[in-house]
Amino acid sequence: MSHVLVTGGAGFIGRHVTAALLAAGHDVRILDSGHPAAHKRPLPPDIHGVPVTHADLRDADTVGAALDGIDAVVHQAAMVGMGVDLADLPAYVGANDLGTAVLLAAMASAGVRRLVLASSMVVYGEGAYECPVHGPVRPAPRDVADLRRGEFDPRCPRCAAPLDPMLVDEDAPLEPRSVYAATKVAQEHLSAAWAAGTGGTVAALRYHNVYGPGMPRDTPYSGVAAIFRSALAAGRPPRLYEDGAQRRDFVHVSDVAQANVAALESTAAGAAAGGLRAYNVASGRPATVGELATALTAALAGPAPIVTGEFRAGDVRHVVASPARAAAELGFTATIPPAEGFAAFADAPLRG
């Protein structure tokens, strides 16, 4: 049994991680800021019977006290999603990067040497692609003029041929294309520097598109699954950006929780002292955003999705993960197929 501090333990993923750690026999402590981007209501006094310390990660004294007697930290706390606009930039950097820096400094002082970090697939930017002529290539960011014409798929930077999306693995270059993505890359780099300086180990779990019960209701920071659910609950059709053919890997939150337990308990994760090791956390069964909307619509007998052709700067076209490293090194394989998970999510409770 380990004594584990879960930051963000009152949030969507954090609640499931806390439950999974308790079920695995670990002692858990929760620290959560109750940030309004994730919580529309006051924090409860406890989660699954674990008292919640209501504090910002940037409060060094409270974080230091929360680490007393702790063996490992599972760091879920972060502002997530695309946000509203660039006015959100200071809030993202403050919550995600400065908050992580304060946590790492406190861990160094407290002698805590094990970290499981909630990272994200957004660190990759676009996923992996292959040109039929030139092989594996990295496409440039999509041109707004092309997007306005409805040309959504990246093309080969050498010959302009259409590209085939491939599986992206953890050794792919990091190319963040949004403020949130940049903060997640910074969290990984800060954690790697902490590990090198302390001899600690970091398992950076790069979550793909997480969905499941307890997602926050429709906000600018919600995941697409919750946004579609909220629209259908209001009798509105899901609205698909671009043409709805964007490929993603949708992974159920209960699988994500088990990945955290596996990373905490594994002797392979960040095996070398002073090291960070990244892992895709994904279902291994890609689906399009349109398929998600169609599945939810069918389960709820709602209005058919609408393809809008609209787009957002910073969005990427296809990100499909290879889950092989997590399977080989952590013994983690997602168990819930997307079709089954989507159907169950259609009437799962959301969090206000």
Side-chain angles (χ1 to χ4, degrees):
M1 178 185 77
S2 294
H3 298 277
V4 184
L5 175 66
V6 180
T7 71
F12 162 47
I13 297 175
R15 288 171 180 249
H16 289 269
V17 170
T18 296
L21 289 168
L22 292 170
H26 298 288
D27 178 75
V28 179
R29 190 176 297 167
I30 293 173
L31 189 149
D32 198 295
S33 72
H35 196 289
H39 300 274
K40 293 183 180 179
R41 300 176 181 174
L43 289 179
D46 67 89
I47 301 292
H48 306 303
V50 178
V52 176
T53 298
H54 185 180
D56 194 298
L57 275 180
R58 289 165 286 190
D59 179 349
D61 290 340
T62 302
V63 172
L67 288 169
D68 184 39
I70 290 295
D71 303 313
V73 173
V74 176
H75 182 25
Q76 306 293 319
M79 281 187 67
V80 301
M82 289 291 291
V84 177
D85 53 37
L86 287 176
D88 276 339
L89 201 158
Y92 272 103
V93 172
N96 296 359
D97 297 339
L98 179 55
T100 296
V102 173
L103 173 66
L104 293 170
M107 290 172 65
S109 178
V112 180
R113 297 293 181 261
R114 186 140 183 82
L115 175 65
V116 178
L117 171 68
S119 188
S120 171
M121 59 89 173
V122 297
V123 300
Y124 298 122
E126 284 286 352
Y129 291 86
E130 186 171 68
C131 172
V133 176
H134 297 106
V137 295
R138 293 286 297 173
R142 295 181 296 170
D143 187 88
V144 171
D146 291 338
L147 297 173
R148 286 175 177 157
R149 288 192 295 268
E151 298 175 6
F152 301 120
D153 285 303
R155 292 183 172 272
C156 177
R158 298 175 62 184
C159 68
L163 298 174
D164 295 319
M166 310 295 286
L167 297 181
V168 62
D169 64 27
E170 294 85 350
D171 293 325
L174 304 186
E175 193 176 349
R177 296 187 179 181
S178 69
V179 170
Y180 171 60
T183 66
K184 299 310 285 187
V185 171
Q187 282 186 326
E188 289 198 16
H189 289 329
L190 290 167
S191 299
W194 165 85
T198 63
T201 59
V202 184
L205 304 184
R206 291 175 179 166
Y207 300 161
H208 285 251
N209 289 70
V210 186
Y211 71 99
M215 288 187 84
R217 295 186 186 278
D218 188 8
T219 79
Y221 309 93
S222 295
V224 66
I227 291 171
F228 289 165
R229 268 284 311 274
S230 295
L232 289 164
R236 302 190 307 268
R239 294 175 58 84
L240 301 175
Y241 283 170
E242 302 184 13
D243 57 2
Q246 307 94 309
R247 297 177 77 226
R248 297 290 189 267
D249 190 305
F250 295 96
V251 57
H252 196 274
V253 67
S254 63
D255 282 326
V256 171
Q258 292 304 319
N260 277 270
V261 175
L264 176 71
E265 296 179 345
S266 172
T267 57
L276 179 147
R277 186 76 164 157
Y279 299 92
N280 285 328
V281 175
S283 74
R285 300 170 175 132
T288 68
V289 174
E291 287 169 343
L292 166 65
T294 299
L296 294 177
T297 296
L300 293 169
I306 294 175
V307 176
T308 68
E310 298 171 11
F311 58 88
R312 297 184 300 183
D315 274 355
V316 296
R317 182 61 172 169
H318 303 298
V319 186
V320 179
S322 168
R325 179 183 290 179
E329 297 185 11
L330 304 182
F332 166 75
T333 301
T335 61
I336 299 178
E340 176 185 322
F342 294 166
F345 178 65
D347 60 2
L350 299 181
R351 185 159 48 88

